[in-house]
Amino acid sequence: MRLSVGGKVLKVLSYVFLVTGALIILFPFFVTIITSLKTQQQSAESFFALPTSFYLGNFESVFQKAGYLTYFTNSVIITVTSVVCIFLLNPMCAYAISRNMHKKYYKAVYFYVLCGIFVPFQVIMVPLVKYLGTLHLTSQFGLIIMHVTFASSQAIFLLTNYIRSVPPDLEEAASIDGCSTFGSYWRVVLPLIKPMTMTIMVLNALWVWNDFQMPLIILNKDASTWTLPLFQYNFKSQYTYDYNMAFASYLVAMVPVLIVYVCAQKYIVAGLTQGAVKT
Amino acid sequence: MSKDPAAAAVPAKNGMKRRSRVMVLFTLPVVLLYSAFFMVPMLLGVYYSLTNWTGIAKTYKFIGLKNYSTVLQDKRFWNAIFFNFKYTICLVIGVLVLSLLIALALNQLGKSSTVFRTIYFIPAVLSLVTVGLIWNELFLRAFPPVGKALGIGFLSTSLLGNPATAMFGILIVNLWQGCATPTVLFVAGLQSVPKDLYEAATIDGANAWQKFKNITIPFLIPIVTMLVITTTKGGLTIFDYIQAMTAGGPAQATEAIGILIYRHAMSEGKFAQSIAESMLLFVIVAIVSFGTIKLTNNKQVGED
C-alpha cells in the first residue's frame, strides 16, 4: 500500500500526538515508582531523579505499620462475594423476564428494576445510612448487599435484551428431553449468554473493587473493615509528612488490579466498553 | 417421554404450571433485594425530606416542603449547582474532543497501535481515590518546582490550592482517567464505517474534511449521544476525586452538590435538608439526561 504525502504527514503527526499522550498517561506511574523507592532525604534533594539504590523501607511501613494486607483481604472478600451473588441472581431474573415479557408481572418487574438506572447513588446515600444503621447492617455484609442491589438495574437491562436475542428452541428441546426449568436454565441458557455475563462480572468487579462512596458511608467507623480505597483516603492525612510512604501505598494499591489488567486485558476492555455501549 | 400427544397433554399442563411458578421464583431474589435496599431507602428519603430531623435527635416533626424552600434559598446550594454545571460542561467537551482525537490517531496507525491502546486504557481500571491522591501529590510537589524553573505563574503553586484554578486541577485528573473508555468506543465506531464509502467518496472527489464530516461523523453520532449522557451524569454526581483531593475547598470553590450533601448530612447536622438537596439532584439529573437524549436524537435525524 502506498501512502500519499498527506497520508505520511498525518501518520507522523498521529505518532507524535500518541507518544505525548502516552507519556502523560505514564508520568504519574513513573513518579509513583521512583518516589516509593527513595528515602525522604533523597526525594527532597531531587524529586525526579532515579533512585540510586533500592530502598524498600517505605513498603515495609505500608505492610507492617499501616496493615495493608488486612485491607487487601477485605477488598478481595467483598469483591468476590458481591460478584458471585450478582452472577447467581441477575441472569436468572433476566431470563425469567425475557421469556415472559408478554405477561404483566414480568413487564412490571422489568420497568420497576430499570428505574434504578436513573437514580444516582447520592440520592439515597443519606437515608441509607440511617436505614442500614437500624437494621444493624453497617458492616461488610451490608456493603455486599448494597453492591449486589445497586448492580441489578444495569445487569437486568443488559441481560434481558441479550437473552431476547437467544432463540428459545434449545431450552425447549432440553425441557422436552426431561430437563427441569432450572436445569435447562443452568445447563443451556447460562452457557449461551456467557459473553454478556462475563461483561457484567468484569464491570461489577472493577466497580466494587474501586468503589469509594458506599464503603465511606457504611464502613468508615470501624477501621478493621476498611477496603483499599477507604484505607487510602483515611491515611491521606497521616501521609502528609511522609509522602514517600504515601507513594509506596499507592503503588501497592494499584498493583493487584494492574496485574489483572495485564492478564485479562481483552476481557476487561471488552467488558467496560460493551457495558457502556448498551446502557 | 410418551410419544402419544394426548397422553402427554396432562403432564405437560402440570409442567407448564410448575414452570411458570419456577419462573416467578427466578425473579424473587432481585425483586426483594431491590425493594428492600433501593426502593425503601428512596421512599424513606422522600419522607425524611419533609421532616425536621437532624439525624441524631430522637424525635422529629413533619414540616412539609420547608426544607425545599430553605435549600432553594441557600447560596451554598446554588454555588454547588453552578460548580457542577460549569464542571460538567468542561468535562463533556474535554472527554469528547480528547478521546475522539486519540481515537483518530490510533485509527491512523492501524495495527501498530496495540501498545498505545494498552497504555491509554490503563487509567480506566484504577480507583478514582488512588488516582486523585497521586495527582494531589503531583500538583503539590512535582509541578511547582517545574513551574518556578520555567517561570509559568499558575504552575508555581498547587493548582488545587487556588480557588480560581482548583476546578481545572480536578478536571485534568478526571480527563486523564475518563478518556480511556470513550477512546475505545470511538475506535470501534471508526472501524465500523464501511471502507468502500470512503473509496466512493474519494472517487467523487471529496477531500479529507468532507469525508470526515459526511461519512465518519454520522457513524459516530450514537456513540457521542451515549457519551454525552454518561459523562453528564458523571459530572453532575462527581464525588470521589473532590473528596480525595480538595474536600470541597479552597473556600468552597470545588464544593460539588455530592460533597455538599455528604457534609450537611454527616458533619453539619442538617440531615433532612441534605436529603431535600439529594432529591433536587435527582430531579436535575433526570431532566438533564432526558433533555440530552431528546436533543441528540433530533440531531441524528437532522444528519441523516
Side-chain angles (χ1 to χ4, degrees), chain B residues 114-178:
Chain B
T114 326
V115 183
F116 288 117
R117 285 179 204 214
T118 309
I119 294 173
Y120 278 94
F121 200 75
I122 298 174
V125 301
L126 301 175
S127 126
L128 306 191
V129 174
T130 313
V131 169
L133 291 173
I134 291 177
W135 277 90
N136 204 6
E137 297 288 337
L138 292 179
F139 282 132
L140 195 67
R141 300 175 207 281
F143 298 142
V146 179
K148 270 179 206 151
L150 297 174
I152 308 171
F154 71 92
L155 263 187
S156 54
T157 53
S158 171
L159 278 181
L160 299 174
N162 182 342
T165 55
M167 187 188 91
F168 296 100
I170 294 165
L171 194 65
I172 290 172
V173 182
N174 203 343
L175 288 175
W176 181 84
Q177 190 167 27

Side-chain angles (χ1 to χ4, degrees), chain A residues 18 21-22 24-25 105-106 112 116-117 122 126 130-131 176 210 212 232-233 236 243 261 265 273 276-277, chain B residues 1 23-24 27 34-36 39 55 118 120-121 125 127 129-130 141 176 184-185 226 233 237 239 243-244 271:
Chain A
L18 288 175
I24 295 172
I25 297 284
Y105 168 75
Y106 296 92
Y112 176 61
I117 284 192
Q122 285 151 12
V126 181
K130 291 291 154 193
Y131 182 61
I176 288 167
N210 289 330
F212 170 61
Q232 303 240 283
Y233 169 72
K236 167 174 97 148
Y243 63 87
Y261 173 62
Q265 192 191 344
T273 47
V277 170
Chain B
M1 294 294 110
M23 283 291 193
V24 173
T27 62
Y34 181 81
S35 303
M39 275 300 165
T118 309
Y120 278 94
F121 200 75
V125 301
S127 126
V129 174
T130 313
R141 300 175 207 281
W176 181 84
V184 181
L185 291 173
M226 189 208 71
K233 202 173 160 193
T237 57
F239 184 85
Q243 189 70 10
F271 188 80

Side-chain angles (χ1 to χ4, degrees), chain A residues 107-118:
Chain A
K107 207 169 193 170
V109 167
Y110 181 65
F111 288 110
Y112 176 61
V113 176
L114 222 58
C115 293
I117 284 192
F118 301 100

